């Protein structure tokens, strides 16, 4: 199977600038058109291990990053993102093009893939058992996820979108780059020296953003679903002692439903899927400030 | 004459219970409610017609049902 790495940089740029690059991320196929060096660099650096599809292959999502040809392109050039022909987002500064692709692809999955219950959460697996990490921005979810898969021996299924298959109750991998923000970028550079990070992009709506490449082993195992075992709500708090406290099942249910993108869309099917998940996976509230202690706590989740 | 109540038509009381707490899916509003076991028992009793005529005069019961009405779970009949 060919991967994106099989394309020479010039060929990659040509596909992106032309009819589009088609690649597979987890169960989704994506067609991306973008005539921008920063996007080609980001794809080449972070998506090298992903299966490359042929031009004739079906694509679930069609994303097109365009530079508007207004007069402001000379002073403050912008980028627009079209998803399946529709423009769903406000234009952004041109230098935000690669993060815009990442956010746009997340939006495509979370707003369309309703055969899954989709939770705004990271998900990782070890020895066949998965931990779900739902959390709002600023909770340290992505930092913890990067540490767990970069150094803690956990397999990354996703940093952003937990996909729970409705009929099987299994967690479906969709490993993509991990979005690190602000201080987390240098923290992970120091804590996971082998991590490959994209060039930081400044002044986005989320501050400074850099993406960490998903481990190749995780990308290679996208067919291996995982059984949910734990739901851990992380919260980073500077100087806090590491604590892991059990959470009642009903409270876990309500909080997880609140973090889901499509729970209300799915109706009773979503309620049922979430109920089965809660009965399989124990809920916890986790506070931490030191990554070493956090990894040690997660290494001992089997004991809980 | 005290108000008598019934489940809002369409409610099947789809729920899960753990440790005395209940999550209930409201098939009319699409909302999910966090309730206690006593409240679920009351809804089941309404559904199954188990309330006796003298129960309707109970002020506390009327108050509880008025609260559940706000969630579109019950209605006067």
């Amino acid at each position: 199977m060919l991967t994106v790495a099989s394309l020479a940089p010039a060929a990659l740029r040509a596909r992106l600038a032309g009819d589009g690059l088609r690649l597979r991320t987890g169960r989704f196929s994506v067609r991306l058109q973008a005539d921008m060096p920063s996007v080609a660099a980001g794809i080449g650096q972070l998506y090298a291990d992903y299966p490359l599809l042929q031009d004739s292959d079906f694509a679930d999502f069609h994303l097109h990053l365009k530079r508007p040809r207004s007069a402001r392109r000379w002073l403050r050039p912008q980028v627009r993102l079209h998803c399946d022909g529709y423009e769903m987002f406000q234009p952004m500064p041109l230098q935000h093009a690669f993060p815009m692709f990442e956010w746009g692809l997340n939006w495509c999955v979370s707003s369309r893939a309703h055969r899954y219950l989709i939770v705004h959460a990271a998900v990782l697996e070890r020895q066949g058992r998965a931990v779900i990490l739902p959390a709002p921005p600023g909770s340290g979810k992505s930092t913890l996820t990067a540490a767990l898969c970069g150094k803690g021996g956990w397999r990354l299924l996703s940093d952003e979108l937990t996909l729970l298959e409705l009929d099987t109750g299994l967690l479906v991998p969709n490993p993509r780059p991990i979005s690190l923000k602000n201080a987390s970028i240098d923290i992970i550079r120091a804590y996971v020296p082998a991590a490959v990070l994209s060039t930081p992009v400044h002044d986005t709506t989320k501050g400074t953003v850099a993406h960490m490449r998903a481990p190749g082993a995780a990308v290679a195992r996208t067919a291996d679903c995982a059984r949910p075992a734990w739901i851990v709500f992380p919260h980073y708090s500077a100087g806090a002692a590491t604590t892991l406290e059990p959470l009642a099942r009903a409270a876990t249910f309500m909080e997880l439903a609140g973090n889901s993108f499509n729970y209300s869309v799915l109706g009773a099917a979503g309620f049922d899927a979430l109920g089965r998940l809660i009965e399989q996976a124990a809920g916890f509230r986790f506070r931490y400030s030191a990554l070493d202690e956090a990894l040690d706590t997660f290494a001992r989740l089997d004991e809980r | 004459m005290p108000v008598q109540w019934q489940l809002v038509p369409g409610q099947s009381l789809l729920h899960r219970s753990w440790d005395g707490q209940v999550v209930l899916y409201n098939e009319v509003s699409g909302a999910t409610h966090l309730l206690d076991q006593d409240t679920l028992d009351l809804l089941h009793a309404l559904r199954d017609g188990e309330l006796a005529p003298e129960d309707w005069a109970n002020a506390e019961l009327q108050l509880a049902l008025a609260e559940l009405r706000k969630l579109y779970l019950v209605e006067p009949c």
Side-chain angles (χ1 to χ4, degrees):
Chain A
M1 177 190 60
L2 289 177
T3 63
V4 172
S6 66
L7 292 175
L12 174 62
R13 286 195 298 274
R15 283 210 192 192
L16 286 166
D19 194 47
L21 174 77
R22 290 170 194 251
L23 56 85
R24 175 165 292 284
T25 72
R27 290 190 177 176
F28 306 108
S29 53
V30 181
R31 176 190 178 207
L32 172 63
Q33 293 173 279
D35 188 9
M36 291 142 206
S38 68
V39 177
I43 295 291
Q45 183 184 34
L46 303 179
Y47 284 87
D49 297 328
Y50 290 71
L52 180 68
L53 303 178
Q54 301 303 309
D55 287 349
S56 56
D57 286 335
F58 175 82
D60 294 296
F61 309 122
H62 298 253
L63 288 90
H64 194 167
L65 289 156
K66 297 179 179 179
R67 293 183 60 167
R69 297 200 49 83
S70 62
R72 69 177 293 159
R73 73 184 186 276
W74 304 110
L75 299 171
R76 293 192 188 89
Q78 290 185 313
V79 58
R80 291 177 178 270
L81 175 62
H82 293 251
C83 300
D84 296 338
Y86 294 96
E87 188 172 8
M88 307 306 299
F89 305 96
Q90 294 293 317
M92 291 186 184
L94 180 61
Q95 61 269 30
H96 298 177
F98 185 75
M100 193 180 200
F101 159 66
E102 288 291 326
W103 299 331
L105 183 51
N106 286 341
W107 180 86
C108 286
V109 174
S110 62
S111 62
R112 310 273 178 83
H114 298 315
R115 59 182 288 203
Y116 309 101
L117 177 69
I118 306 175
V119 182
H120 182 208
V123 56
L124 303 108
E125 172 267 343
R126 206 180 60 156
Q127 296 172 348
R129 306 183 77 195
V131 60
I132 299 169
L133 303 174
S139 58
K141 166 179 67 72
S142 292
T143 314
L144 183 57
T145 300
L148 286 167
C149 71
K151 202 168 175 176
W154 291 77
R155 171 168 68 109
L156 177 72
L157 274 70
S158 177
D159 167 48
E160 199 68 20
L161 302 175
T162 291
L163 305 176
L164 179 72
E165 197 165 47
L166 293 178
D167 49 355
T168 65
L170 294 174
L171 296 162
V172 176
N174 186 30
R176 301 237 319 278
I178 298 171
S179 175
L180 298 170
K181 275 83 77 180
N182 303 312
S184 296
I185 298 167
D186 284 337
I187 289 171
I188 291 302
R189 273 201 184 111
Y191 196 72
V192 188
V196 175
L197 268 63
S198 64
T199 304
V201 176
H202 304 285
D203 301 321
T204 76
T205 52
K206 302 182 182 190
T208 298
V209 173
H211 285 85
M212 173 179 150
R213 187 164 76 188
V219 176
R221 291 185 57 196
T222 52
D224 296 346
C225 297
R227 194 160 294 284
W230 308 279
I231 300 161
V232 178
F233 294 88
H235 179 72
Y236 172 83
S237 179
T242 303
T243 57
L244 183 71
E245 294 171 356
L247 199 55
R249 288 193 191 273
T252 306
F253 184 109
M254 296 301 284
E255 207 159 329
L256 211 52
N259 278 281
S260 170
F261 288 102
N262 63 345
Y263 174 74
S264 57
V265 174
L266 295 173
F271 179 88
D272 191 50
L274 195 49
R276 281 185 280 128
L277 170 64
I278 296 295
E279 283 168 1
Q280 288 183 71
F284 297 93
R285 206 172 290 290
F286 179 58
R287 285 173 69 89
Y288 79 101
S289 60
L291 284 172
D292 280 339
E293 291 183 16
L295 265 55
D296 183 54
T297 302
F298 276 70
R300 290 185 287 108
L301 275 176
D302 276 329
E303 301 166 12
R304 304 299 294 250
Chain B
M1 186 74 177
V3 179
Q4 297 193 19
W5 300 81
Q6 64 180 12
L7 286 187
V8 170
Q11 296 288 6
S12 65
L13 302 182
L14 185 60
H15 72 281
R16 301 254 177 173
S17 302
W18 302 286
D19 308 318
Q21 291 186 305
V22 176
V23 290
L24 182 140
Y25 181 68
N26 186 326
E27 285 163 296
V28 174
S29 70
T32 301
H33 308 297
L34 179 59
L35 308 172
D36 58 27
Q37 188 64 45
D38 290 345
T39 305
L40 181 68
D41 291 345
L42 171 60
L43 291 167
H44 279 150
L46 267 186
R47 181 193 64 188
D48 299 337
E50 293 175 355
L51 273 79
E54 62 269 24
D55 290 332
W56 299 120
N58 183 292
E60 197 178 350
L61 179 69
Q62 287 289 340
L63 205 59
L65 290 165
E67 289 299 311
L68 293 173
R69 183 186 192 182
K70 295 176 186 170
L71 303 177
Y72 304 102
L73 289 169
V74 302
E75 63 183 17
C77 58

